[in-house]
Amino acid sequence: MNEFNYHRALNIDDAIAQAGGVNSRFIAGGTTQLDLMKCGVEAPENLIDIKHLSGLNDITFSADTLRIGALAHMSEVAADARCRSQAPVIYESLWQAASPQIRNMATIGGNLRQRTRCVYFRDPGAFSACNKRRPGSGCSALHGINRNYAVLGVSESCVALYPGDLAVALTAFDARVILRNAAGQERRIPIDSFYLLPGNTPDKEHDIAADEMIIAVEVPIVPALRRSHYLKVRDRTSYEFAAASAAVGLDLDGTVIRDIHIAMGGVATKPWRAHAVEAALRGKPFNEDEIRRAAALITADARPLEHNRFKIVLAPRVITRALLTAGQPSTGEKS
């Protein structure tokens, strides 16, 4: 790990001011940032401690919006009774992520900025070719061991998988990331735009400037959010990243799908919104045959590698199972 300066921010404005103009990183829970520093992926000159700042850890429900502060811990959001009842997909994505110890430390803002677990990217010796780590060096995963790599959103420069869970749920429901800069200006950006496709610049992963800090995330409260579900399929049931996951939500008019939200994790270079599947199901009867036919569209543009072709079969099945689970009658609901 490199040597660095440590600054304990006095307030939000002080934290952002300290970050501008130099190689700096914010640190709160540290579960992502310290990992990246230990394996040599990042070597910031300054670490700016923000974990004690007030006003950034609230969980607020209004009539039409759920707002989660960037310093709220993952475990705090998952334990919120309103989140469980009004936004089950967010609750389920959080409690299935990482381990209880990490969830107690990790913050929402840090979780949104987590980076890929690609073994070539995190190679401590930096012997592997990785355009995300050293632009222009190549991508060892293209012809290496690539079982848990992306099949969607890939490029010739990078096939690294986005590893998170929460951002998948947030993407399904059109969340907005709220950023504040050194001038005190706030910017609200759709989370689907916050995460960038690798293209020819895989080292650029997020739409965030050096003098901006995540202060909150907002989720529109729509009927489908209450009837939502997060399904995570993985090699083991504890402390493992997804082989494929689906965040879904339904608004049913009787047996007809009035509105639908679907995003996938574990299959793409960023949280992946399944627009084609949604369009194919909106206005259609809610039944397994319709869902299976539409779910197959998720892999229409997939580009599998030697060892991850199983995701082509797995992804539609995960969407189907998640939607069938979300569509089950809730307690007290007439079937």
Side-chain angles (χ1 to χ4, degrees):
M1 184 184 293
N2 65 292
E3 293 186 1
F4 56 86
N5 298 313
Y6 169 84
H7 177 78
R8 191 173 191 269
L10 301 175
N11 49 48
I12 297 173
D13 291 338
D14 177 52
I16 298 172
Q18 291 290 329
V22 294
N23 182 12
S24 301
R25 295 291 185 273
F26 299 117
I27 188 167
T31 58
T32 287
Q33 186 58 53
L34 292 179
D35 272 353
L36 295 172
M37 293 170 67
K38 286 178 180 177
C39 63
V41 171
E42 293 192 359
E45 299 172 32
N46 294 328
L47 281 188
I48 303 163
D49 189 346
I50 61 172
K51 64 178 177 291
H52 56 284
L53 298 183
S54 60
L56 293 179
N57 60 353
D58 296 335
I59 305 168
T60 307
F61 280 83
S62 66
D64 58 1
T65 304
L66 161 59
R67 180 183 171 109
I68 306 171
L71 291 184
H73 292 107
M74 294 171 66
S75 58
E76 292 173 334
V77 181
D80 190 285
R82 298 164 300 175
C83 186
R84 292 191 184 198
S85 62
Q86 298 187 46
V89 69
I90 293 176
Y91 156 68
E92 291 167 352
S93 71
L94 285 168
W95 77 255
Q96 294 181 75
S99 67
Q101 295 89 342
I102 290 176
R103 294 194 296 269
N104 285 338
M105 290 293 296
T107 61
I108 297 301
N111 182 271
L112 296 183
R113 291 294 307 274
Q114 69 175 303
R115 305 186 71 182
T116 184
R117 262 59 186 181
C118 169
V119 295
Y120 304 108
F121 171 70
R122 290 176 177 256
D123 177 4
F127 299 120
S128 302
C130 176
N131 290 315
K132 191 180 288 289
R133 183 167 176 165
R134 297 192 308 279
S137 64
C139 176
S140 291
L142 284 171
H143 305 290
I145 299 173
N146 47 39
R147 180 179 184 273
N148 208 21
Y149 284 75
V151 297
L152 293 169
V154 301
S155 72
E156 292 302 315
S157 296
C158 185
V159 294
L161 190 74
Y162 175 77
D165 298 293
L166 173 62
V168 178
L170 296 175
T171 297
F173 285 89
D174 305 298
R176 298 175 294 271
V177 180
I178 305 174
L179 308 170
R180 183 180 298 177
N181 67 14
Q185 299 167 326
E186 289 190 2
R187 182 164 68 103
R188 283 169 165 77
I189 180 170
I191 193 165
D192 195 35
S193 300
F194 178 72
Y195 291 101
L196 305 176
L197 289 170
N200 294 321
T201 55
D203 54 309
K204 295 180 173 65
E205 298 178 2
H206 309 100
D207 182 2
I208 186 170
D211 71 336
E212 287 183 318
M213 182 171 75
I214 299 173
I215 62 170
V217 61
E218 289 182 342
V219 187
I221 296 178
V222 296
L225 184 60
R226 181 180 290 271
R227 193 170 200 158
S228 60
H229 178 56
Y230 185 74
L231 174 62
K232 183 176 183 178
V233 175
R234 44 190 166 171
D235 290 341
R236 59 174 186 255
T237 58
S238 177
Y239 199 27
E240 179 62 284
F241 299 101
S245 66
V248 304
L250 289 166
D251 180 18
L252 298 177
D253 182 6
T255 60
V256 175
I257 300 171
R258 179 162 43 201
D259 191 22
I260 186 167
H261 295 252
I262 307 169
M264 290 209 75
V267 296
T269 54
K270 59 179 275 186
W272 198 259
R273 187 69 180 266
H275 291 293
V277 182
E278 292 176 345
L281 285 171
R282 198 170 286 114
K284 296 294 180 61
F286 180 81
N287 63 61
E288 186 170 345
D289 288 341
E290 288 282 359
I291 292 170
R292 287 192 182 280
R293 278 195 291 269
L297 297 173
I298 188 65
T299 56
D301 298 321
R303 293 170 57 185
L305 302 165
E306 181 180 0
H307 303 123
N308 67 358
R309 294 181 182 276
F310 71 96
K311 291 179 184 277
I312 304 298
V313 177
L314 181 61
R317 293 180 179 179
V318 172
I319 289 177
T320 300
R321 181 176 155 196
L323 285 171
L324 291 175
T325 300
Q328 292 176 356
S330 59
T331 303
E333 182 180 344
K334 293 182 180 180
S335 59

